[in-house]
Amino acid sequence: MTITERSVDMAGDDLVRDWVDGWVVSRGATPPLVEPWGYTIHVGQAEHPGRHVLGATNDGVTEDDVRKAAGSTRARAFHLKVFAEPERVLPWLGPEWEPYGSGDFLMAKGVTAAVVPEVPAGYRLRSWTRSGVTRLLITDTDGSFAARGQIALVGASAVVDQIETSEHHRRKGLGTVIMGTLDAAAHAQGATRAVLACTPDGRLLYESVGWRIVAPLTNAKHRGSAAA
């Protein structure tokens, strides 16, 4: 899976918009509201009512925009996503914001035709598409959960989401099977690029199959108006 020059040349702001548009389809959230500093998404969960996403990346992220986004909500458990180093971003947030996660990134790659890895013996791969989202599930011979992943296609961009391998089934190549199969599905549906937000656990897998880092990701959650 080779990164195409087209994906490398895309601006970080464009990749953020790709990620936002695909994420709301993948998760069934509201369409993003465009803000002067980025996007607001309403998710509708008790512990995740919504999120603000800064539209810029790296040096394009400004203190003024972060403060405006952070100051636009007092809702408990509202999330804030900023694609810049935590060392820069966190001092701009007040005590009402609680950081979480560490070492997360926005990553991207070009989508190309590729040979799909074979499913290891003793496992079964299932795939289905519904409401614009293609999902994969790998189970063992007993039907127990082993791994999963999904993509949502928006225009020419595929957003990869919900990648997970059970701790009991790791180091068996299942993550590579999931990523390769999703890449093939994205290519078959006309995608030319793909984007995802990753945790440290997934970074090595994604880099091994051709993904590159676009920007670090800082995460924070609002403590609620009582703490403001």
Tab-separated table of all heavy atoms in Angstrom, residues 188-211:
chain	number	residue	atom	x	y	z
A	188	ALA	N	-12.400	0.039	-4.033
A	188	ALA	CA	-13.513	-0.436	-4.858
A	188	ALA	C	-14.650	0.573	-4.908
A	188	ALA	O	-15.405	0.626	-5.895
A	188	ALA	CB	-14.029	-1.770	-4.306
A	189	GLN	N	-14.767	1.398	-3.878
A	189	GLN	CA	-15.825	2.400	-3.833
A	189	GLN	C	-15.382	3.755	-4.383
A	189	GLN	O	-16.118	4.735	-4.305
A	189	GLN	CB	-16.318	2.557	-2.394
A	189	GLN	CG	-16.988	1.312	-1.842
A	189	GLN	CD	-17.389	1.463	-0.393
A	189	GLN	OE1	-18.083	2.403	-0.009
A	189	GLN	NE2	-16.956	0.520	0.440
A	190	GLY	N	-14.170	3.821	-4.923
A	190	GLY	CA	-13.711	5.037	-5.599
A	190	GLY	C	-12.917	5.999	-4.752
A	190	GLY	O	-12.601	7.107	-5.208
A	191	ALA	N	-12.542	5.624	-3.550
A	191	ALA	CA	-11.746	6.517	-2.707
A	191	ALA	C	-10.320	6.613	-3.235
A	191	ALA	O	-9.760	5.632	-3.724
A	191	ALA	CB	-11.731	6.012	-1.269
A	192	THR	N	-9.735	7.796	-3.121
A	192	THR	CA	-8.344	7.998	-3.516
A	192	THR	C	-7.442	8.316	-2.329
A	192	THR	O	-6.224	8.316	-2.455
A	192	THR	CB	-8.224	9.147	-4.531
A	192	THR	OG1	-8.730	10.356	-3.949
A	192	THR	CG2	-9.005	8.828	-5.802
A	193	ARG	N	-8.042	8.598	-1.190
A	193	ARG	CA	-7.275	8.899	0.024
A	193	ARG	C	-8.060	8.394	1.225
A	193	ARG	O	-9.270	8.165	1.161
A	193	ARG	CB	-7.017	10.407	0.152
A	193	ARG	CG	-8.286	11.241	0.226
A	193	ARG	CD	-7.984	12.732	0.226
A	193	ARG	NE	-9.217	13.518	0.278
A	193	ARG	CZ	-9.903	13.907	-0.792
A	193	ARG	NH1	-9.474	13.593	-2.008
A	193	ARG	NH2	-11.010	14.629	-0.666
A	194	ALA	N	-7.338	8.232	2.344
A	194	ALA	CA	-7.968	7.774	3.576
A	194	ALA	C	-7.368	8.549	4.738
A	194	ALA	O	-6.227	9.011	4.685
A	194	ALA	CB	-7.765	6.278	3.767
A	195	VAL	N	-8.152	8.705	5.796
A	195	VAL	CA	-7.724	9.460	6.966
A	195	VAL	C	-8.270	8.776	8.207
A	195	VAL	O	-9.320	8.126	8.166
A	195	VAL	CB	-8.196	10.934	6.863
A	195	VAL	CG1	-9.699	11.026	6.848
A	195	VAL	CG2	-7.599	11.792	7.961
A	196	LEU	N	-7.545	8.907	9.321
A	196	LEU	CA	-8.000	8.365	10.594
A	196	LEU	C	-7.356	9.124	11.740
A	196	LEU	O	-6.368	9.832	11.567
A	196	LEU	CB	-7.692	6.862	10.708
A	196	LEU	CG	-6.247	6.372	10.640
A	196	LEU	CD1	-5.465	6.603	11.933
A	196	LEU	CD2	-6.200	4.883	10.298
A	197	ALA	N	-7.944	8.985	12.917
A	197	ALA	CA	-7.335	9.466	14.152
A	197	ALA	C	-6.958	8.243	14.960
A	197	ALA	O	-7.779	7.340	15.161
A	197	ALA	CB	-8.313	10.347	14.925
A	198	CYS	N	-5.712	8.200	15.426
A	198	CYS	CA	-5.216	6.970	16.048
A	198	CYS	C	-4.700	7.211	17.457
A	198	CYS	O	-4.338	8.326	17.837
A	198	CYS	CB	-4.113	6.356	15.196
A	198	CYS	SG	-2.501	7.142	15.383
A	199	THR	N	-4.665	6.120	18.223
A	199	THR	CA	-4.024	6.088	19.532
A	199	THR	C	-2.610	5.515	19.365
A	199	THR	O	-2.280	4.971	18.305
A	199	THR	CB	-4.818	5.200	20.498
A	199	THR	OG1	-4.798	3.855	19.999
A	199	THR	CG2	-6.261	5.685	20.617
A	200	PRO	N	-1.770	5.615	20.393
A	200	PRO	CA	-0.423	5.041	20.277
A	200	PRO	C	-0.429	3.551	19.951
A	200	PRO	O	0.456	3.055	19.250
A	200	PRO	CB	0.193	5.316	21.651
A	200	PRO	CG	-0.531	6.509	22.158
A	200	PRO	CD	-1.938	6.371	21.658
A	201	ASP	N	-1.430	2.819	20.471
A	201	ASP	CA	-1.491	1.383	20.216
A	201	ASP	C	-1.632	1.070	18.731
A	201	ASP	O	-1.114	0.055	18.244
A	201	ASP	CB	-2.674	0.760	20.973
A	201	ASP	CG	-2.411	0.642	22.463
A	201	ASP	OD1	-1.243	0.767	22.858
A	201	ASP	OD2	-3.376	0.444	23.222
A	202	GLY	N	-2.347	1.921	17.995
A	202	GLY	CA	-2.571	1.653	16.584
A	202	GLY	C	-1.529	2.229	15.651
A	202	GLY	O	-1.418	1.801	14.501
A	203	ARG	N	-0.724	3.161	16.144
A	203	ARG	CA	0.196	3.884	15.260
A	203	ARG	C	1.154	2.960	14.520
A	203	ARG	O	1.335	3.099	13.297
A	203	ARG	CB	0.973	4.920	16.072
A	203	ARG	CG	2.021	5.648	15.254
A	203	ARG	CD	2.813	6.635	16.095
A	203	ARG	NE	3.952	7.137	15.370
A	203	ARG	CZ	4.846	7.987	15.882
A	203	ARG	NH1	4.696	8.430	17.126
A	203	ARG	NH2	5.871	8.387	15.164
A	204	LEU	N	1.770	2.026	15.220
A	204	LEU	CA	2.752	1.153	14.582
A	204	LEU	C	2.110	0.302	13.484
A	204	LEU	O	2.697	0.089	12.420
A	204	LEU	CB	3.439	0.270	15.617
A	204	LEU	CG	4.366	0.985	16.601
A	204	LEU	CD1	4.942	-0.015	17.595
A	204	LEU	CD2	5.471	1.715	15.858
A	205	LEU	N	0.897	-0.191	13.745
A	205	LEU	CA	0.181	-0.951	12.721
A	205	LEU	C	-0.062	-0.101	11.494
A	205	LEU	O	0.231	-0.521	10.358
A	205	LEU	CB	-1.153	-1.458	13.272
A	205	LEU	CG	-2.148	-2.000	12.226
A	205	LEU	CD1	-1.591	-3.237	11.540
A	205	LEU	CD2	-3.492	-2.283	12.885
A	206	TYR	N	-0.573	1.103	11.691
A	206	TYR	CA	-0.918	1.952	10.550
A	206	TYR	C	0.325	2.355	9.759
A	206	TYR	O	0.323	2.346	8.521
A	206	TYR	CB	-1.679	3.188	11.026
A	206	TYR	CG	-2.890	2.861	11.865
A	206	TYR	CD1	-3.233	3.629	12.970
A	206	TYR	CD2	-3.686	1.743	11.578
A	206	TYR	CE1	-4.334	3.324	13.752
A	206	TYR	CE2	-4.785	1.422	12.358
A	206	TYR	CZ	-5.107	2.210	13.440
A	206	TYR	OH	-6.194	1.897	14.216
A	207	GLU	N	1.395	2.699	10.453
A	207	GLU	CA	2.624	3.056	9.745
A	207	GLU	C	3.161	1.866	8.952
A	207	GLU	O	3.723	2.053	7.864
A	207	GLU	CB	3.670	3.567	10.729
A	207	GLU	CG	3.362	4.948	11.283
A	207	GLU	CD	4.429	5.461	12.223
A	207	GLU	OE1	5.044	4.646	12.947
A	207	GLU	OE2	4.649	6.690	12.243
A	208	SER	N	2.972	0.656	9.463
A	208	SER	CA	3.494	-0.526	8.773
A	208	SER	C	2.751	-0.813	7.467
A	208	SER	O	3.268	-1.537	6.615
A	208	SER	CB	3.402	-1.748	9.694
A	208	SER	OG	2.063	-2.197	9.844
A	209	VAL	N	1.541	-0.248	7.310
A	209	VAL	CA	0.782	-0.474	6.082
A	209	VAL	C	0.609	0.815	5.284
A	209	VAL	O	-0.317	0.954	4.488
A	209	VAL	CB	-0.589	-1.135	6.368
A	209	VAL	CG1	-0.398	-2.543	6.894
A	209	VAL	CG2	-1.424	-0.307	7.350
A	210	GLY	N	1.525	1.777	5.482
A	210	GLY	CA	1.605	2.911	4.574
A	210	GLY	C	1.003	4.216	5.012
A	210	GLY	O	0.964	5.167	4.234
A	211	TRP	N	0.527	4.314	6.250
A	211	TRP	CA	-0.035	5.571	6.726
A	211	TRP	C	1.085	6.500	7.192
A	211	TRP	O	2.142	6.049	7.619
A	211	TRP	CB	-0.995	5.318	7.882
A	211	TRP	CG	-2.259	4.618	7.458
A	211	TRP	CD1	-2.408	3.299	7.146
A	211	TRP	CD2	-3.539	5.219	7.296
A	211	TRP	NE1	-3.709	3.035	6.795
A	211	TRP	CE2	-4.435	4.187	6.885
A	211	TRP	CE3	-4.041	6.510	7.462
A	211	TRP	CZ2	-5.782	4.424	6.636
A	211	TRP	CZ3	-5.381	6.745	7.221
A	211	TRP	CH2	-6.248	5.717	6.808
